[in-house]
Amino acid sequence: MSDISRRKFLQTTSASALLLFSGLSNTQAAPAKSYPSKKIGNIRNLKPNEPLAFNYPDEQSPCLLVKVDNETIGGVGPQKNVVSFSTLCTHMGCPLTYSKGRLVCKCHYSMFDVSRNGQTFQGLASQWVAQIVLRLDAATGNIYAEGVEGLIYGRIGNLKLS
Amino acid sequence: MSLFKRKDSLPIPPLDAEKYTTVCQYCSAGCGYNVFVWPEKRSGTAKSNAFQVDLSQQNQLLSGFSYTETMHNVITRKNGNKYNLAIIPAKESRINKGDYSIRGGTNAQTAYTPTGHTKDRLKDPLLRKENGFVAISWDDAVEIIATVTKSSIDKYGADSIAMKFYDHGSSGLGFEDNWGAGKLFLSGIQTHYLSIHNRPAYNSEVWGSRERGMHELNYDVDDARLADTIVLWGANAYESATVFFTEHIMPNLQGGSVEEKKQEFDAGEPAEEGRIIVIDPRKNATITVSQEISAERVLHLRPNLGTDWILANALARIAWENKWYDNDYLQKRTDMVTFEAYKSKSLQLAKSLDSVLAEAEKITGISRKEMEEAASWIAKPKTGGFKRRTLTLYEKGIIWNMKNYDQVAAIAQLNVLTSNVGRPGTGCGRLGGHQEGYVRPGAPTPGSIYAGGPPKNVDNYITGGGGKIYWVGATDPYLSTPNSKFFKKSVKKRATNLLDYLDNGGIPSDTKAYIAKVLEAFEKTDGLFMIVQDLYRTNTSEDAMLILPAAGWGEAVDTSINCHSRLLRIYDKFLDAPGEALPDWKILALVGNKLKALYEADGNKVMAERFSGMDWKNDAEVFEAGSQEFGDNKATESEEAKLSAECYKGVTHEMLRKLGNEGIQTPVRQDPATGKLIGTKRRYKYSFASKDGLFKWYGTDAWTGYPAEVAKYVDNPAYPFWFTTGRSQHVWQTMYNDKRIPAKLLTVPLPYLEIHPDDALKLNLKTGEMAEVFNEEGSCLALVYVNDATKPGLAFGLMYHAKGTMNNLISSYTDPKTTIPWYKGTKVAVKKYTGKLDDAIKTVSLLSNNDFTTG
């Protein structure tokens, strides 16, 4: 990857995504043996197409939770329209931005469909983006992250950082 | 909830894992890859591993090291043991610098495994019997082919054997297999009915440039970063030569190569961010990605189908009128005798500029203003009078256009007129589809109609009842040939006639009796004995009499060059081919050697001699044997134009293994002073590839409308849509591998059609529905995407898909000068499909693939 693409990425990526990404690079998380259950939001507070950022399964793995307009594969909620994904592009690790039902990478323009299992419908990423397994507590509306399907970019294993 | 099995961790190769270098099996970019193989039960550690990367930490973005789910597989070798396989993009390759595409990123998934996606690879020669195919030995298969071939040659002549074989590098494998095919068919059998790859004839697709003295691969990847202007003409680089676009074109548009330009350019010469002109009827992703980077430095021209050479000539006329050429260059480097024909026919100097441009506007649909802007981006000198540096790359939109020869010639001439060849940041040629690896004895048809041609149309020959044996290698003409429905119907009928004759009274089990009955059928019927040689069963192989199992990428040592630097590298063997599968060269050699023995037994020395020279022991010997075809390659730097573009004489497999991802650029010359082998970075700095070294001009034809095969539709309201075809980012060729990889088939589950919102409204069609596309040639059922990539009145279809082909709709027209088809243009009707929608639509993404905007 040339230096300019790195610079271009810095110019075009939203400030919030950048903060989330760069602020975590020095964090040392303890090795986890299995996927933790982590409360990441409440369905009653989610606004359509306004993603909520969180880290999972550890502090070095940025993800988002989003309520979209249609039924999704692997979504929770009465409309099955709440889904969650890693926001590291599986191609070369650039941050993904949510817009119009998809995750877009501004480094090489891979795009992933959040309604259809995170499939790369355009671009270079040969691996679909990792999807976060969700559990909805119907009584409280709380949403929990409880697993990851697919490999998070830049890891030999999702739970194998030292 | 995953649609297919996912992994959340990957095995680590130990320090002593086997390591090989290879090049991607797919597109013209030719990205370098490193291959690691290690026993399944062994593992390296996060800190100590063959990748030489610290895997204990979260990898940072754009580090140049990627190891994803799709880059790993578990294989079984012939020793019965299981091994991990990792195929990783090479950071040290100057072609891809660790980058990779959605195609190359799945190389590991294509490896043969006895229980995985590729378990149905062909493992034995298969002979068709009454109730289907049965496995036979190579000995029997070779005896059948050689004996039937010999008898057919002796009785009906060499032209009773027809073939359609790939001639390229990468997935079809390269120089070794092409030399094998050349020796058997061109030296041995000597049939005139040869055809290449998907096409109906044996031809170059760019005689319009070669016959000017300019081979089409004359530039280096660096030129895409150094150019002031890049022109992509009928060439969708982001979706078909992806990493070349992201690593070499995109950085130029972003301004990332300005420092490189300052170092290469002349003192005082302006060096700025690059511009791009994309000439394509469709607003494809190459255009919209470029616009995302910098809309003001992108120009998109959308000519009417078939009219590009008129546009190229109009741009040249504007450059001429503005004196944006170097008269000294034209005088010294080009043939001023043939230049007169160019001036009169292509530039049309007898007519006023206004009348030429008015006519061009009418034919092409491009406004004069757009033409003038494009011409200035291509040719107008920069501040200070420095020549602009323009790299022009064309591909199937031009090659498979109406009037192949004139289209290619017009673009080549525009670039030479404006001195845009042979300097850093310039060049004019193909973007390429696959990689290359052509070395064969001389073809019976050396060139276009102006140079001994045109070549024979094998499709017409076969469908018209010609030939007895038809040997198809690594291509699937039922999907890929133009006018494919008619082709399939005709071949099926002839194959069935042969089978019916054999079946009548029972197909003999004894090989000699079987052969005798085939020969009897040749005499009594128009039956066609079709041999299909491939990795898998194909659509075409359903009507074959014999199917031969071929080794694939990674299962034999081979060599190819990429298109953007002519970089020759080794594609090493790291897999065992399944079952009895053999490399193509080996299969062809078995048949050649058997034919030689049969003719020797006959006492026919002349014929035996034709099949000599195929007794190679290994891949390295085939490579060396092929290199002799290039002749003497002693040449100084300034004599490089005399060498064949793919000349590798003196290079060996062992040398390439040492060079690894670095490779060497063809043509390779032996320096007369030092005797050393030296590669060629950029071509035609000193002279062109003609006898006297001068570029040969050609006066192109005037516009005469559309050929009869398409003209019949032009004013016919029953077929209201112009129709063109192209490729998808995700899948390679006929999807022979990709249809077996779940993520690929889920993403591109069906043939698809793109149609403009205005037209969709009239047809009551929505994205995610299906439509029947049809005309008098045939039909195809397709998934519909409504988007603004097309224009009102223009529809686009995926060229072919494992589940259906748009080539059913394409006419049988070929350019009379070259026998190259017009795959990319016809007219069709579109009708909403009202049957049950395919279930695959429930899981496919229906989002627009040319919209990259956010926020």
Side-chain angles (χ1 to χ4, degrees):
Chain A
M1 188 64 202
S2 64
D3 288 345
I4 190 59
S5 295
R6 199 184 285 263
R7 284 209 297 279
K8 182 73 187 172
F9 137 72
L10 292 171
Q11 288 161 16
T12 55
T13 307
S14 70
S16 59
L18 251 187
L19 270 178
L20 183 66
F21 188 81
S22 58
L24 296 165
S25 56
N26 295 323
T27 311
Q28 292 292 314
K33 302 292 179 214
S34 63
Y35 288 106
S37 177
K38 178 179 179 178
K39 183 189 160 192
I40 53 172
N42 189 291
I43 198 163
R44 291 162 201 160
N45 302 331
L46 286 177
K47 294 182 182 141
N49 298 303
E50 289 187 19
L52 193 70
F54 66 100
N55 298 314
Y56 185 85
D58 57 51
E59 291 304 304
Q60 296 188 68
S61 170
C63 301
L64 62 70
L65 177 72
V66 66
K67 183 164 108 178
V68 299
D69 303 326
N70 45 275
E71 186 180 327
T72 64
I73 294 168
V76 296
Q79 277 85 47
K80 292 187 182 171
N81 61 345
V82 176
V83 278
S84 177
F85 288 91
S86 161
T87 52
L88 295 182
C89 180
T90 57
H91 177 232
M92 296 181 90
C94 293
L96 296 170
T97 304
Y98 176 81
S99 170
K100 296 186 268 189
R102 77 268 206 264
L103 295 165
V104 182
C105 176
K106 293 287 183 175
C107 283
H108 303 98
Y109 300 95
S110 289
M111 300 198 285
F112 305 88
D113 188 334
V114 302
S115 300
R116 300 285 164 106
N117 215 195
Q119 73 181 260
T120 315
F121 67 95
Q122 174 60 294
L124 290 77
S126 58
Q127 185 199 302
W128 293 9
V129 68
Q131 185 160 3
I132 311 302
V133 179
L134 301 179
R135 178 174 63 85
L136 172 68
D137 182 335
T140 61
N142 285 336
I143 298 169
Y144 297 85
E146 299 204 321
V148 181
E149 291 190 334
L151 189 66
I152 296 164
Y153 171 81
R155 299 178 172 214
I156 200 69
N158 288 348
L159 302 172
K160 285 188 182 169
L161 291 191
S162 64
Chain B
M1 70 187 165
S2 283
L3 293 172
F4 57 92
K5 192 171 178 242
R6 301 291 299 264
K7 300 171 197 163
D8 71 353
S9 70
L10 294 171
I12 301 173
L15 272 174
D16 61 351
E18 296 168 34
K19 189 183 169 191
Y20 307 86
T21 59
T22 190
V23 178
C24 181
Q25 63 189 305
Y26 297 125
C27 86
S28 57
C31 295
Y33 280 81
N34 291 313
V35 179
F36 301 85
V37 183
W38 68 103
E40 194 192 20
K41 302 292 178 205
R42 289 196 57 212
S43 178
T45 67
K47 296 275 188 192
S48 168
N49 57 71
F51 293 149
Q52 309 279 0
V53 170
D54 180 358
L55 301 169
S56 70
Q57 305 295 314
Q58 171 71 41
N59 191 8
Q60 296 304 294
L61 77 167
L62 305 178
S63 70
F65 172 76
S66 298
Y67 181 33
T68 69
E69 289 174 62
T70 63
M71 294 177 189
H72 171 260
N73 205 342
V74 177
I75 57 165
T76 305
R77 282 194 168 153
K78 285 211 162 132
N79 60 18
N81 297 328
K82 287 188 172 180
Y83 295 81
N84 286 296
L85 168 71
I87 306 182
I88 306 292
K91 189 177 181 175
E92 66 275 21
S93 166
R94 76 180 184 99
I95 302 298
N96 55 310
K97 306 173 188 178
D99 199 351
Y100 65 100
S101 78
I102 196 164
R103 300 176 299 280
T106 61
N107 275 321
Q109 293 189 293
T110 69
Y112 168 68
T113 61
T115 54
H117 309 318
T118 56
K119 63 185 174 197
D120 63 340
R121 276 284 301 276
L122 291 167
K123 298 171 194 75
D124 295 284
L126 301 173
L127 184 68
R128 198 171 178 198
K129 290 291 183 73
E130 293 90 337
N131 300 314
F133 288 97
V134 296
I136 61 169
S137 69
W138 273 116
D139 282 350
D140 283 345
V142 169
E143 187 176 352
I144 291 168
I145 297 170
T147 312
V148 170
T149 298
K150 178 180 176 295
S151 300
S152 190
I153 293 172
D154 293 347
K155 194 159 191 181
Y156 309 105
D159 284 348
S160 63
I161 319 297
M163 72 83 143
K164 190 189 277 287
F165 253 71
Y166 68 92
D167 71 325
H168 54 74
S170 55
S171 61
L173 306 189
F175 290 106
E176 295 76 9
D177 288 340
N178 282 314
W179 184 245
K183 283 297 285 177
L184 180 66
F185 291 105
L186 279 76
S187 304
I189 296 170
Q190 295 188 12
T191 171
H192 291 85
Y193 289 93
L194 304 154
S195 55
I196 282 179
H197 199 12
N198 57 322
R199 323 202 281 273
Y202 201 85
N203 39 20
S204 161
E205 291 179 308
V206 289
W207 275 327
S209 180
R210 290 190 186 177
E211 290 174 11
R212 311 277 76 71
M214 190 162 83
H215 188 272
E216 66 278 12
L217 304 180
N218 49 50
Y219 59 100
D220 185 86
V221 286
D222 289 356
D223 293 318
R225 298 197 311 279
L226 294 172
D228 295 307
T229 303
I230 294 161
V231 182
L232 293 176
W233 206 320
N236 182 3
Y238 179 69
E239 295 184 278
S240 62
T242 309
V243 173
F244 175 59
F245 184 85
T246 57
E247 289 300 319
H248 303 287
I249 295 178
M250 209 166 82
N252 189 354
L253 303 181
Q254 290 168 334
S257 56
V258 170
E259 287 307 313
E260 282 179 75
K261 291 183 184 186
K262 282 179 183 163
Q263 285 181 15
E264 283 276 345
F265 286 8
D266 295 339
E269 181 179 348
E272 297 168 355
E273 295 154 318
R275 295 163 185 265
I276 188 166
I277 302 172
V278 185
I279 304 174
D280 198 302
R282 205 164 59 109
K283 189 169 84 177
N284 60 37
T286 298
I287 293 144
T288 51
V289 163
S290 300
Q291 287 170 337
E292 273 290 295
I293 293 165
S294 178
E296 71 275 11
R297 280 180 282 112
V298 183
L299 192 57
H300 180 202
L301 307 185
R302 313 178 79 168
N304 295 329
L305 299 189
T307 66
D308 299 71
W309 95 97
I310 302 295
L311 177 62
N313 286 341
L315 300 183
R317 177 67 189 266
I318 294 167
W320 175 264
E321 212 73 21
N322 286 286
K323 298 197 163 45
W324 293 335
Y325 57 86
D326 174 354
N327 200 44
D328 191 46
Y329 176 85
L330 295 180
Q331 297 281 346
K332 284 185 180 153
R333 296 290 308 282
T334 80
D335 176 11
M336 297 313 282
V337 176
T338 50
F339 193 54
E340 292 304 314
Y342 181 65
K343 284 199 292 188
S344 117
K345 290 183 169 176
S346 298
L347 299 179
Q348 300 186 79
L349 296 186
K351 289 187 192 168
S352 72
L353 176 71
D354 286 350
S355 83
V356 169
L357 295 187
E359 194 189 17
E361 275 188 314
K362 199 172 147 211
I363 295 165
T364 65
I366 305 294
S367 72
R368 177 168 178 167
K369 186 172 166 290
E370 289 172 298
M371 289 186 211
E372 285 173 340
E373 190 168 18
S376 77
W377 285 24
I378 290 169
K380 186 181 178 182
K382 298 188 278 186
T383 308
F386 292 93
K387 279 180 192 167
R388 190 165 291 278
R389 296 169 190 267
T390 297
L391 172 68
T392 299
L393 303 178
Y394 54 84
E395 197 39 51
K396 298 298 189 295
I398 289 303
I399 286 167
W400 290 346
N401 208 324
M402 182 179 91
K403 291 181 75 69
N404 157 272
Y405 191 87
D406 288 57
Q407 303 280 9
V408 171
I411 293 173
Q413 295 182 130
L414 168 62
N415 267 59
V416 172
L417 178 71
T418 55
S419 306
N420 277 314
V421 176
R423 296 181 293 135
T426 71
C428 176
R430 291 184 67 162
L431 178 69
H434 44 67
Q435 296 152 42
E436 303 295 337
Y438 185 90
V439 58
R440 282 187 183 163
T445 309
S448 76
I449 196 165
Y450 304 111
K456 293 185 185 300
N457 186 320
V458 179
D459 281 14
N460 288 352
Y461 182 61
I462 294 292
T463 59
K468 299 290 181 191
I469 299 172
Y470 183 46
W471 195 336
V472 176
T475 178
D476 195 358
Y478 278 11
L479 295 178
S480 65
T481 214
N483 204 3
S484 50
K485 194 193 91 180
F486 174 72
F487 180 84
K488 177 179 174 174
K489 192 170 72 177
S490 310
V491 170
K492 188 179 277 298
K493 195 182 278 176
R494 294 189 61 193
T496 305
N497 289 347
L498 182 72
L499 186 68
D500 284 349
Y501 190 89
L502 297 183
D503 197 8
N504 191 5
I507 299 178
S509 299
D510 174 68
T511 302
K512 287 194 170 28
Y514 176 84
I515 291 167
K517 198 159 182 186
V518 171
L519 297 174
E520 212 175 281
F522 282 172
E523 195 59 21
K524 303 224 169 118
T525 73
D526 74 341
L528 187 68
F529 190 91
M530 183 158 67
I531 304 162
V532 168
Q533 178 171 329
D534 216 311
L535 302 177
Y536 305 97
R537 288 204 193 187
T538 63
N539 293 47
T540 307
S541 74
E542 69 190 50
D543 290 319
M545 292 307 294
L546 196 49
I547 303 177
L548 305 177
W553 179 82
E555 295 168 354
V557 185
D558 89 286
T559 52
S560 298
I561 62 167
N562 78 338
C563 289
H564 315 130
S565 289
R566 301 171 317 285
L567 186 61
L568 174 66
R569 284 160 291 176
I570 197 154
Y571 301 46
D572 228 330
K573 176 184 184 310
F574 50 89
L575 298 167
D576 289 335
E580 299 295 313
L582 293 173
D584 287 328
W585 67 261
K586 183 90 186 169
I587 298 171
L588 298 157
L590 285 172
V591 174
N593 291 327
K594 181 76 180 177
L595 275 158
K596 180 166 177 270
L598 290 173
Y599 276 113
E600 277 168 351
D602 257 12
N604 188 339
K605 283 186 188 158
V606 175
M607 284 302 288
E609 181 57 27
R610 275 173 34 179
F611 293 98
S612 66
M614 295 186 77
D615 49 352
W616 311 294
K617 288 183 206 70
N618 54 44
D619 329 61
E621 280 189 18
V622 194
F623 185 66
E624 202 277 331
S627 77
Q628 300 305 317
E629 187 67 18
F630 295 115
D632 184 8
N633 64 338
K634 268 200 199 70
T636 62
E637 184 191 335
S638 62
E639 292 169 332
E640 69 79 21
K642 293 179 180 168
L643 300 176
S644 169
E646 299 181 47
C647 172
Y648 63 81
K649 193 166 184 197
V651 179
T652 63
H653 276 187
E654 212 37 55
M655 200 182 291
L656 290 173
R657 210 166 262 129
K658 284 189 189 124
L659 286 168
N661 279 297
E662 188 187 331
I664 186 166
Q665 287 178 275
T666 64
V668 175
R669 62 188 175 85
Q670 195 190 356
D671 190 75
T674 63
K676 283 187 180 158
L677 295 175
I678 299 175
T680 307
K681 177 164 183 167
R682 188 178 289 111
R683 307 208 69 195
Y684 310 132
K685 180 179 174 185
Y686 303 96
S687 62
F688 286 98
S690 63
K691 271 186 189 158
D692 60 8
L694 300 176
F695 182 86
K696 302 293 172 186
W697 299 92
Y698 160 74
T700 46
D701 292 350
W703 175 257
T704 51
Y706 292 105
E709 294 89 335
V710 174
K712 68 182 179 184
Y713 294 126
V714 171
D715 296 315
N716 186 342
Y719 304 101
F721 295 100
W722 280 100
F723 180 70
T724 191
T725 66
R727 309 299 175 105
S728 138
Q729 174 82 267
H730 301 80
V731 297
W732 179 248
Q733 305 280 29
T734 56
M735 301 177 66
Y736 55 88
N737 282 326
D738 292 318
K739 70 178 177 185
R740 294 170 167 85
I741 299 174
K744 295 292 185 72
L745 191 61
L746 285 160
T747 313
V748 191
L750 297 165
Y752 64 83
L753 180 80
E754 291 181 358
I755 194 160
H756 192 269
D758 294 356
D759 293 326
L761 197 64
K762 288 178 203 159
L763 295 164
N764 187 29
L765 266 179
K766 294 183 193 70
T767 293
E769 296 180 337
M770 294 176 77
E772 191 174 9
V773 194
F774 63 97
N775 61 16
E776 291 170 10
E777 269 68 52
S779 68
C780 186
L781 189 61
L783 169 62
V784 172
Y785 287 88
V786 178
N787 63 33
D788 69 350
T790 57
K791 300 188 281 191
L794 174 73
F796 167 88
L798 180 67
M799 185 180 183
Y800 41 52
H801 185 282
K803 293 186 177 169
T805 175
M806 299 288 178
N807 288 325
N808 278 349
L809 304 153
I810 301 305
S811 83
S812 61
Y813 158 88
T814 59
D815 181 0
K817 297 176 184 177
T818 59
T819 327
I820 297 285
W822 184 16
Y823 274 107
K824 297 273 185 180
T826 188
K827 293 197 79 180
V828 298
V830 177
K831 184 170 166 283
K832 183 169 177 157
Y833 172 73
T834 52
K836 183 185 176 294
L837 294 184
D838 196 298
D839 280 344
I841 298 172
K842 291 176 188 156
T843 48
V844 68
S845 175
L846 297 171
L847 298 174
S848 176
N849 69 6
N850 71 339
D851 173 16
F852 298 89
T853 59
T854 49

